Amino acid sequence: MSGKPGYHGVILNIDLSTGKSEKVAVPSEDLARFVGGQGLGMKILWDRLKKPGVDPLSPENPLIFMPGPFSGLPVPSSSRTCVVTKSPITSPLQSDYPHASTVTYSNMGGFFGPEIRFAGYDGLVITGKARELCYIVIDDGKVEIRDAKKFKGMRTDAFDKAILDELGDRKFKTVYIGPAGENLVPYSSILHTAGRAAGRGGTGCVMGSKNLKAIAVKGTGQPSVADHKRFLAALEKARLALNGSAFAKSWAEQGTARAIVGNSNAGTEAVRNYREGTFPEAGKIGGDAARRDVWVKDIACYCCPLACKKSGITKGKYGGIVHDGPEYETGVMLGSNLLISDMPGLLKAIYTIDDLGLDHISTGNVIGFLMEAYEKGMIDLTFLNGIDLKWGSVDATLAMIEKIAAREGVGALAAEGVRALSWHIGKGSEKFAIQVKGLELAAHNIQANQPRGLSYATAERGACHLSGDDIATQNRRAMIDSIGLCLFPTFEPALEEPMLALLSAITGREYDKAGFEKTGERIFNLEKMFNYREGFRREDDRLPDRFFEDAFTIGTKKGAVLDRANFDAMLSKYYKDRGWDPETTKPGDLKLKELGLDSV
């Protein structure tokens, strides 16, 4: 049973340098003000890194796995785990600190977060660095650090099977890195089962820097709730809001892949390294094609009625078992963005990236940048180690993925991301290096979508499509990522009231819509303070020149391009409405006091 309604009241600290672990009480004030997931993880990061400029790959940087108060309870779609750390890929344009970077928070579904709660913890905090490659086993209150040298270099698909065989108990839930994480690729990911990943911001790189291959967790407990009767009533409303609804059925039918054709038609898709917003062959890699030709099974995360994960089989040159995809981000970044319309080839690329432990979004962005630089004669075959990296080439894409994960040849530079590549290549290539603060943009193009441009510019982890296109959405989503709930079901309006009732019943603290969003605003502002302390200023909230200079030439949004003056005015209004200084973006004293953050 929990010591505090909705919580166990403790996190598990593991220091890989000393091999010691301990339970640490979480202050009740922090639970009330930062909730869990992204919010509580951010508060822990702020408290642990008291000074700016800490090297993200140093033993001092904590790697934090945070479920939320919904996790471990039978709440629909309460599967999420937020991985919070200091990013190894972002940096400000100017700073007094050579290792300045943003916070990063990367969210994954599956079963790992609920299992942390079953084991009796509200989160895991990993610090230090092991002498040799290791993995952690947590079995309720028992914690072991075991040797993992025999798994060195193992790809994630094989490792997923091997670790469970070694543990001899399939009740363990595991997260792990692949060769890319071991090789410290700054945009490597942490994987959990097939196709679930904390991909953004280099979480796998931080895990690799600690010589940590994997974590396995198994638990037999469950957190309590403050008001059981109210919890059951709200739970029934939440289930009725989703189960059997047209909304849920549409997600189960195609998952996020349904947007591949829709966004292309709308002119908001990343195509040809964001040169266009429409991909004429999107229908070949979209949800209808995948349902017809590939998928044979729908897969759900913990307690989820949406079942948006898909698996199946392809044939031909790139044929084989499909573990996951295409989803929107993976299908676009490795399909439309690279002009690849070969479905089996696309799925082979998606699988290979997961198997090596890379982030699909950054990897697809890097390869698209190199394809354009190659097309324009800025780089040649010698630079590319003989890889003929032409638009639409599956073989060249697969070869480059392998190079990046191994940091071999051209892959050593490509592993550093598009900003580093553009600095190295020069010749004006920075205009089409699609990144903000060093983090590559996701699969939503913005020449015809100015609000999404605001999300990319102002998100705290660097370019992020999920942060929100306006202040209210940013605050709300910070909270959604803090309670342990998946974002997707929250698009169903009927879930709003039972979500708030569930949170109130679980924690014993009353939440209405305004209080929910105010708590999210506190979390967002603490993240902003972390970044500001590292040296990030208004000039870092800058979109690439492409979006202001290269109008679309095809599609329904032909001619669309962002207006620089209008966008700059929108940014100024955003900072003012946030209560931040529009010149420096520093949160104002009145805003911090209003949010109870004046002490930071």
Side-chain angles (χ1 to χ4, degrees), residues 442-484:
H444 302 257
N445 212 341
I446 55 175
Q447 278 96 325
N449 189 359
Q450 181 169 280
R452 185 55 48 87
L454 182 74
S455 179
Y456 284 136
T458 61
E460 305 299 8
R461 67 178 183 180
C464 175
H465 64 297
L466 293 173
S467 178
D469 296 350
D470 55 57
I471 291 172
T473 306
Q474 288 178 338
N475 295 342
R476 174 181 168 82
R477 290 190 177 179
M479 257 304 263
I480 290 169
D481 282 352
S482 297
I483 63 177

Side-chain angles (χ1 to χ4, degrees), residues 195-409:
R196 296 178 178 93
R200 305 252 64 200
T203 59
C205 182
V206 174
M207 191 162 165
S209 74
K210 298 186 180 305
N211 272 333
L212 180 60
K213 179 70 174 178
I215 306 170
V217 179
K218 185 180 71 170
T220 56
Q222 191 175 45
S224 66
V225 301
D227 187 335
H228 194 255
K229 184 176 180 180
R230 185 182 182 189
F231 171 77
L232 291 178
L235 182 61
E236 185 63 14
K237 286 185 179 180
R239 287 171 174 164
L240 291 174
L242 295 175
N243 288 355
S245 70
F247 169 85
K249 288 178 180 177
S250 70
W251 278 96
E253 177 63 26
Q254 294 194 4
T256 60
R258 63 183 179 162
I260 292 175
V261 172
N263 283 10
S264 175
N265 291 340
T268 58
E269 192 150 294
V271 180
R272 199 166 187 157
N273 193 35
Y274 302 79
R275 181 63 185 81
E276 304 289 352
T278 300
F279 184 38
E281 298 185 352
K284 295 181 180 180
I285 57 173
D288 287 334
R291 176 59 70 188
R292 181 187 67 238
D293 300 331
V294 180
W295 296 334
V296 296
K297 187 176 181 180
D298 303 327
I299 303 170
C301 296
Y302 175 82
C303 280
C304 187
L306 303 188
C308 68
K309 291 289 182 183
K310 312 299 175 190
S311 65
I313 301 172
T314 57
K315 298 179 180 179
K317 178 180 178 181
Y318 306 107
I321 296 174
V322 174
H323 287 276
D324 180 55
E327 294 182 312
Y328 178 74
E329 297 297 332
T330 61
V332 171
M333 293 310 301
L334 298 165
S336 308
N337 191 52
L338 307 183
L339 302 190
I340 289 176
S341 58
D342 180 313
M343 178 72 87
L346 167 63
L347 292 170
K348 177 68 173 178
I350 292 170
Y351 168 80
T352 303
I353 284 176
D354 271 339
D355 206 25
L356 292 167
L358 288 164
D359 172 27
H360 292 91
I361 293 173
S362 286
T363 305
N365 197 308
V366 165
I367 294 174
F369 171 84
L370 287 171
M371 284 180 170
E372 181 164 354
Y374 183 46
E375 176 190 41
K376 290 180 173 178
M378 295 178 177
I379 56 176
D380 57 17
L381 274 175
T382 301
F383 182 95
L384 294 170
N385 302 151
I387 299 172
D388 192 15
L389 199 61
K390 292 181 178 178
W391 296 110
S393 173
V394 174
D395 287 340
T397 296
L398 293 173
M400 186 57 65
I401 291 168
E402 296 282 351
K403 289 281 190 183
I404 291 169
R407 297 188 71 121
E408 176 184 284

Side-chain angles (χ1 to χ4, degrees), residues 75-97:
V75 177
S77 305
S78 56
S79 66
R80 309 302 289 190
T81 309
C82 201
V83 184
V84 181
T85 190
K86 189 179 179 188
S87 176
I89 193 169
T90 57
S91 62
L93 292 174
Q94 298 182 55
S95 177
D96 294 334
Y97 313 105

Side-chain angles (χ1 to χ4, degrees), residues 134-154:
C134 70
Y135 69 98
I136 297 168
V137 180
I138 302 168
D139 190 347
D140 281 326
K142 184 180 179 181
V143 182
E144 296 180 74
I145 300 174
R146 300 183 183 177
D147 187 282
K149 289 195 294 292
K150 65 182 175 182
F151 299 121
K152 186 174 179 61
M154 187 175 285

Side-chain angles (χ1 to χ4, degrees), residues 548-585:
F548 302 100
E549 298 177 1
D550 296 337
F552 292 152
T553 65
I554 61 172
T556 58
K557 294 297 191 294
K558 181 179 178 179
V561 67
L562 292 183
D563 180 273
R564 202 181 293 273
N566 286 344
F567 189 79
D568 194 57
M570 185 173 69
L571 272 178
S572 293
K573 183 178 186 304
Y574 170 88
Y575 301 133
K576 182 179 179 181
D577 291 347
R578 272 281 183 203
W580 299 353
D581 185 322
E583 297 299 322
T584 67
T585 72

